[in-house]
Amino acid sequence: MNTSSPWLRTYLSGESSEPLVISTTGTGGEVKKVLIPASALIASANSAHKYLGAKLGDSWSLLLPTSHIAGINVLTRSILLESEIKTIDQRADFTSIVPTQLFRALNGDHNLLSHLQSAKCVLVGGAPLSQSIRNQAELAGIKVVTTYGMTETCGGCVYDGIPLDGVSIQIIDGLIELKVPEMNSGDWIKTKDLGEIVDGKLKILGRVDDVIISGGENISLDKLEKYLEAKFSNQLFVAVALPDEKWGEILGLVSEKEFPSEMNSQIANDLGKFYVPKTSKVISNIPTIGIGKFDRSAIAKLF
């Protein structure tokens, strides 16, 4: 689909009967196909624009692939605002990116940094955004709004912890469930994300399948990654579980740079010695699933 998106225009207007089906891959590697009704795209775009205060003529830049719901949503918003889609070399009022793009903008991608700084607002979703990276972005003059959602919810439907119009949230046994207009026949959509409601806002605590047990100790991969990103904010870290005959599972860690010499001692002091990785590896390109999630399964195979 090109950026002029003639097919999407006909789909949104009801002139095309061809369904929009998007494939999505979970952290476990399973592939699902999700039907996205035109009414869901329109409802999502309208509620996003209401939250952001967007008006007719405001523009969006497309920095995400249109094979994913996030890219389709950007095109839909642009169509409904009756504006031309922008590129990274043009100024746009709004854009949508994933955390790794924001990290790269803050660590050497000056063209992307300038583009984000000139926008009224930058949506960041697809994967958790660490508070340290968000703080750096805001200090750099980037107006960040975090989004939470998935393909099954027609993309981001919770902005900075607040559900968009028509979206409902409930926490059942610690897990987040969402109800989104026009999706899943209006039924609750169950996630594998742990969360809680704090002061009326949704707080993401991590994923239930990101906790491993090594030698009888529960280790949260998400907790370790957030800790390292806060301590060493100019470096990406991804933790993975590796099978081990002695411990059941052991903790592995990858990064795109050499690991800080003081890293392990700081982890042991602040989180406990069982959070110190048993093995680590520097790799040039960390495998990802989709547009924002690291592929822990593929990373584990590198060991």
Side-chain angles (χ1 to χ4, degrees), residues 194-241:
L194 297 163
E196 61 184 2
I197 305 298
V198 180
D199 298 328
K201 293 186 177 183
L202 176 64
K203 181 179 180 182
I204 314 296
L205 302 177
R207 287 183 61 85
V208 69
D209 52 4
D210 282 351
V211 176
I212 70 170
I213 301 176
S214 182
E217 297 283 357
N218 289 344
I219 301 172
S220 167
L221 306 183
D222 181 68
K223 180 179 180 179
L224 176 60
E225 290 170 354
K226 286 181 178 177
Y227 169 82
L228 291 173
E229 287 173 0
K231 283 285 185 182
F232 311 102
S233 57
N234 66 337
Q235 190 164 352
L236 287 174
F237 300 89
V238 183
V240 296

Side-chain angles (χ1 to χ4, degrees), residues 73-229:
N73 278 335
V74 168
L75 293 180
T76 301
R77 295 167 192 151
S78 182
I79 289 170
L80 295 186
L81 291 179
E82 300 178 10
S83 60
E84 291 296 321
I85 203 77
K86 304 295 184 179
T87 68
I88 193 173
D89 297 316
Q90 300 171 299
R91 185 197 168 274
D93 294 296
F94 304 100
T95 194
S96 181
I97 60 174
V98 296
T100 48
Q101 288 172 297
L102 182 57
F103 177 87
R104 310 231 185 262
L106 296 168
N107 289 274
D109 191 334
H110 303 296
N111 192 30
L112 178 56
L113 176 62
S114 177
H115 182 78
L116 300 180
Q117 289 171 324
S118 67
K120 293 179 181 178
C121 182
V122 176
L123 301 184
V124 183
L129 175 66
S130 71
Q131 188 60 48
S132 62
I133 297 298
R134 180 168 189 161
N135 291 343
Q136 288 180 62
E138 291 174 347
L139 284 173
I142 301 172
K143 302 169 188 67
V144 170
V145 169
T146 59
T147 70
Y148 170 73
M150 58 212 75
T151 304
E152 292 88 339
T153 63
C154 196
C157 60
V158 180
Y159 283 20
D160 276 344
I162 299 173
L164 297 180
D165 280 357
V167 176
S168 301
I169 302 173
Q170 66 181 13
I171 309 295
I172 303 295
D173 296 329
L175 293 175
I176 301 166
E177 295 187 5
L178 302 166
K179 186 184 289 185
V180 179
E182 312 294 342
M183 294 296 293
N184 200 40
S185 302
D187 294 332
W188 287 99
I189 299 168
K190 298 179 180 181
T191 77
K192 293 183 179 180
D193 296 313
L194 297 163
E196 61 184 2
I197 305 298
V198 180
D199 298 328
K201 293 186 177 183
L202 176 64
K203 181 179 180 182
I204 314 296
L205 302 177
R207 287 183 61 85
V208 69
D209 52 4
D210 282 351
V211 176
I212 70 170
I213 301 176
S214 182
E217 297 283 357
N218 289 344
I219 301 172
S220 167
L221 306 183
D222 181 68
K223 180 179 180 179
L224 176 60
E225 290 170 354
K226 286 181 178 177
Y227 169 82
L228 291 173
E229 287 173 0

